[in-house]
Protein backbone atom coordinates (compact mmCIF):
# COMPACT_ATOMS: atom_id res chain seq x y z
CA UNK A 1 0.00 0.00 0.00
CA UNK A 2 1.12 3.51 -0.79
CA UNK A 3 1.45 6.06 2.02
CA UNK A 4 -0.67 9.22 2.10
CA UNK A 5 2.40 11.43 1.73
CA UNK A 6 3.72 9.44 -1.20
CA UNK A 7 0.42 9.60 -3.09
CA UNK A 8 0.12 13.32 -2.47
CA UNK A 9 3.70 13.93 -3.58
CA UNK A 10 3.15 12.02 -6.84
CA UNK A 11 0.00 14.01 -7.58
CA UNK A 12 1.59 17.37 -6.69
CA UNK A 13 4.59 16.70 -8.93
CA UNK A 14 2.23 16.27 -11.89
CA UNK A 15 0.85 19.84 -11.75
CA UNK A 16 2.34 23.31 -11.89
CA UNK A 17 1.02 26.88 -11.66
CA UNK A 18 -1.17 27.81 -14.66
CA UNK A 19 0.20 30.30 -17.25
CA UNK A 20 -0.44 33.84 -15.97
CA UNK A 21 -3.16 36.00 -17.49
CA UNK A 22 -4.09 39.66 -17.06
CA UNK A 23 -7.34 40.25 -15.18
CA UNK A 24 -9.27 43.29 -13.93
CA UNK A 25 -8.58 43.64 -10.21
CA UNK A 26 -12.03 42.54 -9.06
CA UNK A 27 -11.76 39.35 -11.12
CA UNK A 28 -8.27 38.74 -9.74
CA UNK A 29 -9.38 38.80 -6.10
CA UNK A 30 -8.38 35.55 -4.43
CA UNK A 31 -5.71 34.84 -7.07
CA UNK A 32 -1.93 34.88 -6.67
CA UNK A 33 0.15 37.65 -8.31
CA UNK A 34 2.46 36.59 -11.13
CA UNK A 35 4.15 40.01 -11.31
CA UNK A 36 5.45 42.63 -8.91
CA UNK A 37 3.12 45.62 -8.56
CA UNK A 38 5.10 48.88 -8.53
CA UNK A 39 3.71 52.23 -7.38
CA UNK A 40 3.05 54.53 -10.36
CA UNK A 41 2.90 57.46 -7.92
CA UNK A 42 3.57 58.09 -4.22
CA UNK A 43 0.96 57.55 -1.51
CA UNK A 44 -0.35 59.98 -0.51
CA UNK A 45 0.34 61.58 -3.87
CA UNK A 46 0.05 65.14 -2.45
CA UNK A 47 0.27 66.78 1.01
CA UNK A 48 -3.26 66.76 2.42
CA UNK A 49 -5.24 67.36 5.57
CA UNK A 50 -5.98 64.52 8.00
CA UNK A 51 -8.79 66.49 9.70
CA UNK A 52 -11.72 68.75 8.92
CA UNK A 53 -10.47 72.17 10.08
CA UNK A 54 -8.45 75.20 9.00
CA UNK A 55 -5.14 75.40 7.15
CA UNK A 56 -3.05 77.99 8.96
CA UNK A 57 0.44 79.19 9.72
CA UNK A 58 1.39 77.60 13.05
CA UNK A 59 3.09 80.86 14.09
CA UNK A 60 -0.27 82.68 13.75
CA UNK A 61 -1.95 80.53 16.41
CA UNK A 62 1.03 80.04 18.75
CA UNK A 63 -0.58 82.15 21.49
CA UNK A 64 -4.16 80.84 21.05
CA UNK A 65 -6.01 79.67 24.16
CA UNK A 66 -9.62 79.20 25.24
CA UNK A 67 -9.51 82.47 27.17
CA UNK A 68 -7.81 84.40 24.42
CA UNK A 69 -8.57 82.87 21.01
CA UNK A 70 -6.77 84.01 17.87
CA UNK A 71 -9.07 85.31 15.12
CA UNK A 72 -8.13 84.79 11.45
CA UNK A 73 -9.82 85.73 8.16
CA UNK A 74 -11.20 82.70 6.26
CA UNK A 75 -10.17 83.41 2.66
CA UNK A 76 -11.10 80.15 0.90
CA UNK A 77 -12.77 76.79 1.39
CA UNK A 78 -11.33 73.45 0.08
CA UNK A 79 -13.37 70.27 0.08
CA UNK A 80 -11.66 66.95 -0.85
CA UNK A 81 -11.15 66.79 -4.63
CA UNK A 82 -10.54 70.56 -5.03
CA UNK A 83 -7.54 72.89 -4.78
CA UNK A 84 -7.53 76.21 -2.96
CA UNK A 85 -7.25 79.24 -5.24
CA UNK A 86 -5.97 81.45 -2.40
CA UNK A 87 -2.79 81.20 -0.31
CA UNK A 88 -2.44 81.03 3.45
CA UNK A 89 -0.41 83.96 4.73
CA UNK A 90 -0.16 85.76 8.10
CA UNK A 91 -3.65 86.53 9.40
CA UNK A 92 -5.36 84.33 6.78
CA UNK A 93 -6.75 80.77 7.17
CA UNK A 94 -8.44 78.46 4.65
CA UNK A 95 -11.22 76.11 5.69
CA UNK A 96 -10.23 72.54 4.68
CA UNK A 97 -11.82 69.07 4.73
CA UNK A 98 -10.13 65.69 5.33
CA UNK A 99 -8.22 64.58 2.22
CA UNK A 100 -8.16 68.02 0.56
CA UNK A 101 -4.76 69.24 -0.71
CA UNK A 102 -2.89 71.47 1.70
CA UNK A 103 -3.11 75.07 0.38
CA UNK A 104 0.09 76.87 -0.57
CA UNK A 105 1.61 78.77 2.32
CA UNK A 106 0.02 76.69 5.09
CA UNK A 107 2.21 74.67 7.47
CA UNK A 108 -0.40 73.19 9.81
CA UNK A 109 -4.08 72.31 10.15
CA UNK A 110 -6.19 73.23 13.18
CA UNK A 111 -9.02 70.71 13.74
CA UNK A 112 -12.49 72.26 13.57
CA UNK A 113 -13.08 71.07 17.16
CA UNK A 114 -10.54 73.67 18.37
CA UNK A 115 -12.43 76.53 16.65
CA UNK A 116 -15.83 78.22 16.49
CA UNK A 117 -16.26 76.78 12.94
CA UNK A 118 -16.62 80.25 11.43
CA UNK A 119 -16.88 80.68 7.67
CA UNK A 120 -15.92 84.37 7.25
CA UNK A 121 -13.69 84.70 10.28
CA UNK A 122 -12.60 81.87 12.57
CA UNK A 123 -11.71 81.95 16.26
CA UNK A 124 -9.04 79.40 17.17
CA UNK A 125 -8.75 78.35 20.81
CA UNK A 126 -5.54 76.29 20.86
CA UNK A 127 -2.12 76.32 19.20
CA UNK A 128 -0.78 73.61 16.84
CA UNK A 129 2.80 72.68 16.05
CA UNK A 130 3.99 73.19 12.47
CA UNK A 131 3.24 70.04 10.43
CA UNK A 132 0.26 69.00 12.57
CA UNK A 133 -2.60 67.11 10.88
CA UNK A 134 -0.80 67.04 7.54
CA UNK A 135 -0.44 63.72 5.68
CA UNK A 136 2.78 64.14 3.69
CA UNK A 137 3.17 62.98 0.07
CA UNK A 138 5.05 59.66 -0.05
CA UNK A 139 4.89 58.94 3.68
CA UNK A 140 3.00 55.70 3.00
CA UNK A 141 4.49 54.52 -0.33
CA UNK A 142 7.41 55.95 -2.34
CA UNK A 143 6.82 56.20 -6.12
CA UNK A 144 8.53 53.50 -8.17
CA UNK A 145 8.91 51.01 -5.33
CA UNK A 146 7.39 47.51 -5.48
CA UNK A 147 4.41 47.38 -3.13
CA UNK A 148 3.16 43.82 -3.83
CA UNK A 149 5.50 40.98 -4.78
CA UNK A 150 5.06 37.97 -7.03
CA UNK A 151 3.29 35.32 -4.95
CA UNK A 152 1.09 37.74 -3.00
CA UNK A 153 -2.51 36.62 -2.61
CA UNK A 154 -4.96 39.32 -3.71
CA UNK A 155 -7.13 39.97 -0.68
CA UNK A 156 -9.38 42.93 0.02
CA UNK A 157 -6.35 44.60 1.61
CA UNK A 158 -3.76 44.02 -1.09
CA UNK A 159 -6.22 44.79 -3.89
CA UNK A 160 -6.92 48.17 -2.26
CA UNK A 161 -3.20 48.95 -2.36
CA UNK A 162 -2.86 47.88 -6.02
CA UNK A 163 -5.74 50.20 -6.91
CA UNK A 164 -4.39 53.10 -4.88
CA UNK A 165 -1.00 52.98 -6.66
CA UNK A 166 -2.59 53.10 -10.08
CA UNK A 167 -3.53 49.60 -11.19
CA UNK A 168 -6.76 48.46 -12.82
CA UNK A 169 -5.43 45.09 -13.97
CA UNK A 170 -2.81 42.63 -12.74
CA UNK A 171 -1.13 39.46 -13.98
CA UNK A 172 -2.16 36.47 -11.93
CA UNK A 173 -2.32 32.72 -12.18
CA UNK A 174 -5.88 31.96 -13.30
CA UNK A 175 -8.36 29.89 -11.35
CA UNK A 176 -8.16 26.28 -12.59
CA UNK A 177 -11.25 24.99 -14.36
CA UNK A 178 -12.27 21.84 -12.50
CA UNK A 179 -14.86 19.40 -13.83
CA UNK A 180 -16.49 17.04 -11.34
CA UNK A 181 -18.02 13.86 -12.80
CA UNK A 182 -20.01 11.62 -10.50
CA UNK A 183 -20.67 8.03 -11.51
CA UNK A 184 -23.20 5.46 -10.36
CA UNK A 185 -26.46 3.93 -11.58
CA UNK A 186 -28.04 4.74 -8.23
CA UNK A 187 -27.56 8.51 -8.49
CA UNK A 188 -30.23 11.08 -9.28
CA UNK A 189 -30.02 14.87 -9.58
CA UNK A 190 -30.63 17.00 -6.48
CA UNK A 191 -34.31 17.31 -5.58
CA UNK A 192 -35.53 14.47 -7.78
CA UNK A 193 -37.91 12.12 -5.88
CA UNK A 194 -36.22 8.81 -5.10
CA UNK A 195 -37.36 5.34 -6.01
CA UNK A 196 -36.24 2.63 -3.59
CA UNK A 197 -32.51 1.99 -4.04
CA UNK A 198 -31.67 5.38 -5.51
CA UNK A 199 -29.82 8.21 -3.77
CA UNK A 200 -29.26 11.89 -4.41
CA UNK A 201 -25.92 12.69 -6.06
CA UNK A 202 -24.50 14.61 -3.15
CA UNK A 203 -20.84 14.03 -4.02
CA UNK A 204 -20.76 16.13 -7.16
CA UNK A 205 -22.42 19.03 -5.37
CA UNK A 206 -20.02 18.63 -2.46
CA UNK A 207 -16.91 18.42 -4.64
CA UNK A 208 -17.88 21.36 -6.86
CA UNK A 209 -18.43 23.43 -3.72
CA UNK A 210 -15.15 22.29 -2.18
CA UNK A 211 -13.28 23.07 -5.42
CA UNK A 212 -14.82 26.54 -5.55
CA UNK A 213 -13.94 27.12 -1.90
CA UNK A 214 -10.36 26.18 -2.82
CA UNK A 215 -10.41 28.88 -5.51
CA UNK A 216 -11.26 26.89 -8.65
CA UNK A 217 -13.93 27.58 -11.24
CA UNK A 218 -15.77 24.29 -10.97
CA UNK A 219 -18.44 22.60 -13.09
CA UNK A 220 -20.66 19.66 -12.29
CA UNK A 221 -21.07 16.90 -14.90
CA UNK A 222 -23.15 13.80 -14.40
CA UNK A 223 -24.31 11.78 -12.71
CA UNK A 224 -23.07 9.30 -15.32
CA UNK A 225 -24.43 5.74 -15.14
CA UNK A 226 -22.02 2.83 -14.71
CA UNK A 227 -21.67 2.36 -18.46
CA UNK A 228 -18.26 2.43 -20.11
CA UNK A 229 -19.36 4.16 -23.33
CA UNK A 230 -21.31 6.83 -21.47
CA UNK A 231 -18.35 7.51 -19.21
CA UNK A 232 -15.92 7.73 -22.15
CA UNK A 233 -18.26 10.12 -23.97
CA UNK A 234 -18.58 12.33 -20.90
CA UNK A 235 -14.81 12.42 -20.36
CA UNK A 236 -14.31 13.33 -24.05
CA UNK A 237 -16.86 16.15 -23.80
CA UNK A 238 -15.52 17.56 -20.58
CA UNK A 239 -11.76 17.43 -21.22
CA UNK A 240 -11.85 20.50 -23.49
CA UNK A 241 -12.89 22.77 -20.65
CA UNK A 242 -10.87 21.24 -17.82
CA UNK A 243 -7.54 21.99 -16.18
CA UNK A 244 -8.34 19.18 -13.73
CA UNK A 245 -10.95 16.40 -13.71
CA UNK A 246 -12.32 14.82 -10.55
CA UNK A 247 -14.45 11.70 -10.68
CA UNK A 248 -16.43 10.18 -7.82
CA UNK A 249 -17.28 6.50 -7.44
CA UNK A 250 -16.46 3.37 -9.43
CA UNK A 251 -12.88 2.79 -8.33
CA UNK A 252 -13.18 -0.11 -5.88
CA UNK A 253 -13.28 -3.86 -6.49
CA UNK A 254 -16.98 -4.04 -7.41
CA UNK A 255 -18.36 -5.54 -10.61
CA UNK A 256 -19.64 -2.18 -11.86
CA UNK A 257 -16.63 -0.02 -11.03
CA UNK A 258 -16.64 1.67 -14.41
CA UNK A 259 -14.17 4.47 -13.80
CA UNK A 260 -11.46 1.99 -12.96
CA UNK A 261 -12.40 -0.30 -15.83
CA UNK A 262 -12.35 2.43 -18.47
CA UNK A 263 -9.30 4.37 -17.31
CA UNK A 264 -7.19 1.28 -16.57
CA UNK A 265 -7.44 0.40 -20.26
CA UNK A 266 -6.16 3.79 -21.37
CA UNK A 267 -3.07 3.32 -19.21
CA UNK A 268 -2.34 6.90 -18.15
CA UNK A 269 -4.13 6.70 -14.81
CA UNK A 270 -2.68 4.64 -11.97
CA UNK A 271 -5.04 2.96 -9.49
CA UNK A 272 -3.59 2.31 -6.07
CA UNK A 273 -4.49 1.52 -2.50
CA UNK A 274 -3.45 4.28 -0.14
CA UNK A 275 -2.92 3.40 3.54
CA UNK A 276 -5.63 5.68 4.86
CA UNK A 277 -9.11 5.57 6.34
CA UNK A 278 -11.39 6.65 4.87
CA UNK A 279 -10.41 6.78 1.21
CA UNK A 280 -8.26 3.74 0.46
CA UNK A 281 -8.93 3.26 -3.30
CA UNK A 282 -7.40 6.19 -5.23
CA UNK A 283 -6.50 6.87 -8.81
CA UNK A 284 -4.43 9.62 -10.32
CA UNK A 285 -2.99 10.30 -13.77
CA UNK A 286 -3.49 12.32 -16.93
CA UNK A 287 -5.98 12.18 -19.80
CA UNK A 288 -6.10 13.23 -23.44
CA UNK A 289 -3.74 15.09 -25.79
CA UNK A 290 -3.32 17.92 -23.28
CA UNK A 291 -2.48 15.51 -20.44
CA UNK A 292 -5.19 16.95 -18.19
CA UNK A 293 -4.66 15.70 -14.61
CA UNK A 294 -7.44 13.49 -13.26
CA UNK A 295 -8.09 12.34 -9.68
CA UNK A 296 -10.53 9.46 -9.29
CA UNK A 297 -12.05 9.53 -5.81
CA UNK A 298 -14.00 6.77 -4.07
CA UNK A 299 -17.79 7.13 -3.96
CA UNK A 300 -18.51 6.98 -0.25
CA UNK A 301 -19.23 10.59 0.65
CA UNK A 302 -16.81 10.87 3.55
CA UNK A 303 -14.08 9.11 1.54
CA UNK A 304 -14.69 11.44 -1.38
CA UNK A 305 -14.49 14.50 0.84
CA UNK A 306 -11.36 13.44 2.72
CA UNK A 307 -9.68 12.43 -0.56
CA UNK A 308 -10.46 15.84 -1.99
CA UNK A 309 -9.03 17.61 1.04
CA UNK A 310 -5.86 15.54 1.23
CA UNK A 311 -5.04 15.01 -2.46
CA UNK A 312 -7.01 17.38 -4.69
CA UNK A 313 -7.20 20.68 -2.85
CA UNK A 314 -3.37 20.96 -2.83
CA UNK A 315 -3.39 20.45 -6.63
CA UNK A 316 -5.84 23.31 -7.10
CA UNK A 317 -3.77 25.54 -4.83
CA UNK A 318 -0.57 24.70 -6.70
CA UNK A 319 -2.23 25.45 -10.06
CA UNK A 320 -3.28 28.81 -8.63
CA UNK A 321 0.34 29.57 -7.73
CA UNK A 322 0.05 29.30 -3.94
CA UNK A 323 3.42 28.54 -2.35
CA UNK A 324 1.88 26.90 0.68
CA UNK A 325 -0.75 24.57 -0.72
CA UNK A 326 -1.75 22.97 2.57
CA UNK A 327 -4.38 23.78 5.17
CA UNK A 328 -3.25 25.07 8.56
CA UNK A 329 -2.57 22.30 11.07
CA UNK A 330 -2.86 22.73 14.85
CA UNK A 331 -2.29 20.62 17.96
CA UNK A 332 -5.47 20.03 19.93
CA UNK A 333 -6.51 18.18 23.07
CA UNK A 334 -8.88 15.36 22.17
CA UNK A 335 -11.98 15.27 24.39
CA UNK A 336 -13.12 11.66 23.81
CA UNK A 337 -11.40 8.34 23.10
CA UNK A 338 -11.56 6.59 19.73
CA UNK A 339 -9.87 3.70 17.93
CA UNK A 340 -7.80 3.97 14.78
CA UNK A 341 -6.84 1.20 12.32
CA UNK A 342 -3.31 -0.19 12.48
CA UNK A 343 -1.16 0.55 9.46
CA UNK A 344 -3.37 3.34 8.08
CA UNK A 345 -3.49 7.09 8.56
CA UNK A 346 -6.92 7.89 9.92
CA UNK A 347 -8.62 11.19 9.15
CA UNK A 348 -11.22 11.41 11.91
CA UNK A 349 -13.95 14.04 11.74
CA UNK A 350 -13.84 16.40 14.69
CA UNK A 351 -15.11 19.78 15.82
CA UNK A 352 -12.22 22.11 16.58
CA UNK A 353 -12.80 24.74 19.23
CA UNK A 354 -10.76 27.12 21.36
CA UNK A 355 -11.55 26.53 25.04
CA UNK A 356 -9.62 28.13 27.91
CA UNK A 357 -7.08 29.45 25.45
CA UNK A 358 -6.18 26.11 23.83
CA UNK A 359 -7.44 24.06 20.92
CA UNK A 360 -9.70 21.15 21.74
CA UNK A 361 -11.01 18.54 19.30
CA UNK A 362 -14.42 16.93 19.89
CA UNK A 363 -14.64 13.73 17.79
CA UNK A 364 -17.86 13.17 15.87
CA UNK A 365 -19.27 9.85 17.12
CA UNK A 366 -19.64 7.47 14.18
CA UNK A 367 -16.67 7.48 11.79
CA UNK A 368 -18.06 5.27 8.96
CA UNK A 369 -17.33 6.49 5.45
CA UNK A 370 -21.07 6.87 4.72
CA UNK A 371 -21.76 9.08 7.79
CA UNK A 372 -22.61 12.35 6.04
CA UNK A 373 -24.30 13.86 9.11
CA UNK A 374 -21.07 13.66 11.11
CA UNK A 375 -19.10 15.07 8.20
CA UNK A 376 -21.43 18.03 7.97
CA UNK A 377 -21.07 18.79 11.69
CA UNK A 378 -17.26 18.49 11.60
CA UNK A 379 -15.00 21.40 10.77
CA UNK A 380 -11.63 19.73 11.13
CA UNK A 381 -9.87 16.42 10.48
CA UNK A 382 -7.78 14.72 13.15
CA UNK A 383 -4.77 12.99 11.60
CA UNK A 384 -3.92 9.75 13.41
CA UNK A 385 -0.64 8.19 12.17
CA UNK A 386 -0.55 4.53 10.99
CA UNK A 387 1.24 3.25 14.11
CA UNK A 388 -1.31 4.73 16.55
CA UNK A 389 -4.35 2.54 17.19
CA UNK A 390 -6.05 4.34 20.06
CA UNK A 391 -6.56 7.94 21.08
CA UNK A 392 -7.50 8.60 24.73
CA UNK A 393 -9.35 11.63 26.06
CA UNK A 394 -6.71 14.23 26.92
CA UNK A 395 -4.24 13.11 24.22
CA UNK A 396 -2.70 15.82 22.09
CA UNK A 397 -3.58 15.19 18.44
CA UNK A 398 -2.77 16.80 15.09
CA UNK A 399 -5.78 18.48 13.48
CA UNK A 400 -6.30 19.94 10.00
CA UNK A 401 -8.41 23.07 10.36
CA UNK A 402 -11.01 23.15 7.58
CA UNK A 403 -12.21 26.63 8.54
CA UNK A 404 -15.60 27.54 9.97
CA UNK A 405 -18.05 30.36 10.27
CA UNK A 406 -19.34 31.13 13.73
CA UNK A 407 -23.11 30.52 13.89
P1 LIG B 1 -18.60 3.33 -5.26
O1 LIG B 1 -17.30 3.99 -4.94
O2 LIG B 1 -19.09 3.71 -6.61
O3 LIG B 1 -18.53 1.86 -5.06
O4 LIG B 1 -19.65 3.89 -4.23
C1 LIG B 1 -19.48 3.66 -2.85
C2 LIG B 1 -20.68 4.18 -2.08
O5 LIG B 1 -20.78 5.59 -2.27
C3 LIG B 1 -22.00 3.62 -2.49
O6 LIG B 1 -22.80 3.45 -1.36
C4 LIG B 1 -22.56 4.66 -3.40
O7 LIG B 1 -23.96 4.64 -3.48
C5 LIG B 1 -22.07 5.92 -2.74
N1 LIG B 1 -21.94 7.00 -3.73
C6 LIG B 1 -21.30 6.88 -4.91
N2 LIG B 1 -21.36 8.01 -5.61
C7 LIG B 1 -22.06 8.89 -4.85
C8 LIG B 1 -22.47 10.23 -5.04
N3 LIG B 1 -22.17 10.92 -6.16
N4 LIG B 1 -23.17 10.84 -4.07
C9 LIG B 1 -23.46 10.17 -2.93
N5 LIG B 1 -23.10 8.88 -2.69
C10 LIG B 1 -22.43 8.25 -3.64
MG1 LIG C 1 -20.54 3.12 -7.83
Amino acid sequence: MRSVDEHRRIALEAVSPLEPITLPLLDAAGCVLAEDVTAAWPLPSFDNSSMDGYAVLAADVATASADSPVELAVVDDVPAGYRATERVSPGRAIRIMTGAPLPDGADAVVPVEATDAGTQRVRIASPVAAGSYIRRAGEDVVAGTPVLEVGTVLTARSIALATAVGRAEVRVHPRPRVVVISTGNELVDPGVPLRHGLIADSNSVMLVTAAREAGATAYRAGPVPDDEDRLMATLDDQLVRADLVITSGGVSMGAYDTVKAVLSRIGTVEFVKVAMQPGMPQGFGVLGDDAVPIATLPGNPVSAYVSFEIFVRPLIRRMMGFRDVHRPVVSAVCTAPFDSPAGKTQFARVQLRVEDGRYVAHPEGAQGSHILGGLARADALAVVPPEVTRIEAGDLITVIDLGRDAP
Side-chain angles (χ1 to χ4, degrees):
M1 262 194 289
R2 186 182 274 180
S3 75
V4 170
D5 286 348
E6 174 79 349
H7 191 62
R8 180 157 56 186
R9 187 183 60 70
I10 287 168
L12 270 171
E13 277 174 3
V15 303
S16 34
L18 298 180
E19 255 331 282
I21 57 168
T22 299
L23 286 180
L25 278 177
L26 280 181
D27 296 335
C31 295
V32 175
L33 275 177
E35 63 166 339
D36 290 339
V37 173
T38 302
W41 47 66
L43 285 187
S45 54
F46 50 89
D47 290 356
N48 68 91
S49 177
S50 69
M51 296 290 275
D52 296 329
Y54 295 83
V56 299
L57 279 163
D60 267 0
V61 298
T63 62
S65 67
D67 293 340
S68 144
V70 167
E71 191 171 303
L72 300 174
V74 179
V75 297
D76 203 351
D77 191 28
V78 256
Y82 290 84
R83 300 178 60 171
T85 51
E86 297 293 327
R87 285 182 65 84
V88 169
S89 55
R92 290 154 51 102
I94 291 177
R95 192 162 78 132
I96 191 166
M97 302 302 146
T98 305
L102 190 72
D104 290 342
D107 67 2
V109 171
V110 178
V112 67
E113 291 82 355
T115 74
D116 66 353
T119 55
Q120 305 298 316
R121 300 193 66 77
V122 63
R123 289 160 74 87
I124 294 172
S126 59
V128 285
S132 297
Y133 303 109
I134 297 171
R135 307 194 285 213
R136 292 293 178 193
E139 73 177 21
D140 182 3
V141 168
V142 175
T145 55
V147 291
L148 298 172
E149 289 176 1
V150 169
T152 303
V153 183
L154 289 171
T155 60
R157 298 176 299 279
S158 48
I159 231 166
L161 180 57
T163 306
V165 299
R167 287 306 195 88
E169 296 179 328
V170 281
R171 278 182 82 66
V172 293
H173 298 284
R175 298 176 178 283
R177 297 160 304 160
V178 173
V179 174
V180 175
I181 304 172
S182 54
T183 68
N185 289 330
E186 72 278 33
L187 304 176
V188 300
D189 274 320
V192 172
L194 302 178
R195 278 190 291 109
H196 188 69
L198 303 188
I199 61 170
D201 170 19
S202 55
N203 282 359
S204 64
V205 178
M206 170 180 75
L207 293 168
V208 166
T209 303
R212 288 180 182 167
E213 285 174 2
T217 301
Y219 310 101
R220 174 174 172 261
V224 178
D226 292 312
D227 174 283
E228 299 197 6
D229 294 339
R230 295 281 296 275
L231 179 61
M232 272 314 284
T234 305
L235 286 169
D236 267 352
D237 286 351
Q238 297 296 332
L239 271 185
V240 294
R241 63 164 173 173
D243 297 308
L244 171 68
V245 174
I246 305 170
T247 64
S248 130
V251 292
S252 335
M253 308 303 280
Y256 302 95
D257 281 330
T258 315
V259 172
K260 193 172 180 179
V262 164
L263 294 178
S264 298
R265 257 203 324 269
I266 296 172
T268 55
V269 180
E270 191 184 12
F271 290 91
V272 292
K273 285 183 176 166
V274 177
M276 64 193 286
Q277 188 189 68
M280 187 173 65
Q282 299 288 336
F284 182 79
V286 296
L287 272 190
D289 298 338
D290 295 332
V292 176
I294 177 168
T296 67
L297 310 185
N300 274 309
V302 182
S303 312
Y305 179 79
V306 168
S307 305
F308 176 91
E309 270 300 325
I310 303 305
F311 301 124
V312 182
R313 189 178 182 278
L315 304 182
I316 293 175
R317 304 296 274 183
R318 171 152 292 174
M319 288 177 165
M320 292 184 74
F322 282 86
R323 285 174 188 160
D324 183 2
V325 299
H326 300 299
R327 294 270 199 190
V329 168
V330 301
S331 263
V333 179
C334 193
T335 58
F338 64 93
D339 290 321
S340 187
K344 290 182 180 177
T345 304
Q346 187 189 26
F347 296 95
R349 278 71 67 204
V350 301
Q351 285 186 356
L352 183 64
R353 297 289 175 266
V354 176
E355 290 169 17
D356 299 328
R358 53 178 200 169
Y359 283 113
V360 296
H362 303 287
E364 277 300 330
Q367 293 284 341
S369 59
H370 61 292
I371 303 290
L372 199 44
L375 179 67
R377 282 187 298 274
D379 50 31
L381 295 173
V383 185
V384 185
E387 65 279 8
V388 176
T389 54
R390 172 96 180 151
I391 298 291
E392 301 295 350
D395 283 357
L396 211 53
I397 55 174
T398 299
V399 177
I400 301 171
D401 189 352
L402 303 172
R404 74 200 68 86
D405 288 318

